[in-house]
Amino acid sequence: MNFKDKTVVITGGNTGIGRELAIAFGMRKANVVVNFIVNEEAAVETISHIENLGGKAIKIFGDVTKLDDCKNIIDKSIKVFGKVDVLINNSGITRDNLIMRMSEDDFDKVIDVNLKGTWNMCKSVTRHMMKNRSGKIINISSVVGIMGNAGQSNYVASKAGIIGLTKSLAKEFGPRGITVNAVAPGFIETKMTEALPVEVRENYMKQIPLGKFGTPEDIANSCIFLASSRADYITGQVLSINGGMI
């Protein structure tokens, strides 16, 4: 699939799954916008990697919890590349704990980044995509947003909220030719999962019928499909990439 002359904005596009997404679209000739809030060095490295592959990419600082920052991300993307064709809301954080020990601040931070951040970015791109009567929005949810998980009430609530937001916006945006879908990854090989204790990793592995963690490339492949013309008649859906967990 080729995305030549298409502009793809990826929040949290400098590391982990976001970086894999940025490179995957860059390899397919898209104009890639790498949003970041920390670790600018990683954003620079990601852009350099894309450019070495013959693609075009820029980095834009922006805190997705701030609506003005989100508007700036979209406005700068349009100024440089002329339009935004695809928005991937990938930014996310965790602050895990049992609810009796979880602070209000930890709950609020996770909801602000994961759920409100997704809402902020969707709101910021709305007028542009509606004017163009086209666009693809892909929101990164999680398997736990579907099945729940002890010790992650804040994270699960945010990811379940993203699914509800996705379904609602699909109905709002559909008449203007804009699709809105969600991807719900299971356990993916990232620095976060690599840091888990061996016994925890083994316990999670037992829950996966395929017997292995997924890779960031697995998530990138699903987003490439949803962003392509092959998915033009798919909207309001949740694509689960979890090795059969649910």
Side-chain angles (χ1 to χ4, degrees):
M1 297 179 204
N2 190 297
F3 287 86
K4 183 175 174 57
D5 299 325
K6 300 288 187 180
T7 300
V8 182
V9 176
I10 304 168
T11 63
N14 56 332
T15 60
I17 291 173
R19 180 181 186 276
E20 188 66 34
L21 287 167
I23 292 171
F25 279 97
M27 288 174 58
R28 290 164 175 83
K29 308 305 179 184
N31 301 320
V32 181
V33 177
V34 176
N35 158 251
F36 71 99
I37 189 171
V38 295
N39 200 348
E40 184 174 6
E41 295 80 7
V44 171
E45 192 278 330
T46 299
I47 289 169
S48 177
H49 190 92
I50 292 170
E51 291 175 341
N52 288 338
L53 294 170
K56 297 179 181 178
I58 61 170
K59 60 181 174 67
I60 301 179
F61 172 87
D63 181 350
V64 297
T65 69
K66 298 176 180 178
L67 185 57
D68 284 345
D69 278 22
C70 294
K71 289 178 179 176
N72 184 59
I73 293 168
I74 298 300
D75 289 346
K76 280 192 174 180
S77 300
I78 296 169
K79 183 176 181 180
V80 174
F81 293 123
K83 58 178 179 172
V84 172
D85 299 284
V86 181
L87 167 64
I88 303 180
N89 289 304
N90 168 73
S91 289
I93 63 170
T94 58
R95 295 287 188 275
D96 297 348
N97 219 328
L98 297 174
I99 192 168
M100 67 172 59
R101 296 173 186 158
M102 184 180 293
S103 69
E104 183 179 6
D105 185 58
D106 281 345
F107 181 86
D108 288 345
K109 282 183 178 178
V110 170
I111 296 296
D112 279 351
V113 174
N114 300 3
L115 181 53
K116 188 179 179 185
T118 298
W119 185 89
N120 282 342
M121 287 300 298
C122 288
K123 181 175 176 63
S124 297
V125 83
T126 297
R127 289 187 184 278
H128 176 71
M129 285 188 173
M130 284 194 168
K131 181 180 178 181
N132 291 340
R133 301 189 72 87
S134 69
K136 308 269 189 175
I137 297 175
I138 302 168
N139 299 322
I140 305 300
S141 180
S142 170
V143 65
V144 299
I146 301 171
M147 70 179 195
N149 199 32
Q152 287 192 307
S153 59
N154 50 0
Y155 185 75
V156 170
S158 72
K159 294 299 185 177
I162 285 173
I163 291 174
L165 177 65
T166 296
K167 291 181 178 293
S168 293
L169 294 185
K171 292 183 182 296
E172 284 190 30
F173 294 170
R176 292 299 184 103
I178 303 162
T179 66
V180 188
N181 291 290
V183 171
F187 291 101
I188 306 299
E189 288 287 4
T190 62
K191 289 183 178 181
M192 187 184 301
T193 54
E194 287 174 2
L196 293 171
V198 174
E199 62 274 15
V200 174
R201 283 178 61 91
E202 290 177 349
N203 180 58
Y204 284 146
M205 203 75 75
K206 291 175 183 177
Q207 303 176 44
I208 305 171
L210 286 183
K212 61 180 181 179
F213 284 5
T215 67
E217 186 178 9
D218 292 323
I219 308 307
N221 288 337
S222 66
C223 290
I224 290 291
F225 167 68
L226 289 173
S228 75
S229 60
R230 297 181 183 181
D232 281 352
Y233 200 56
I234 299 173
T235 194
Q237 304 305 307
V238 181
L239 182 55
S240 294
I241 315 295
N242 58 43
M245 285 182 68
I246 57 171

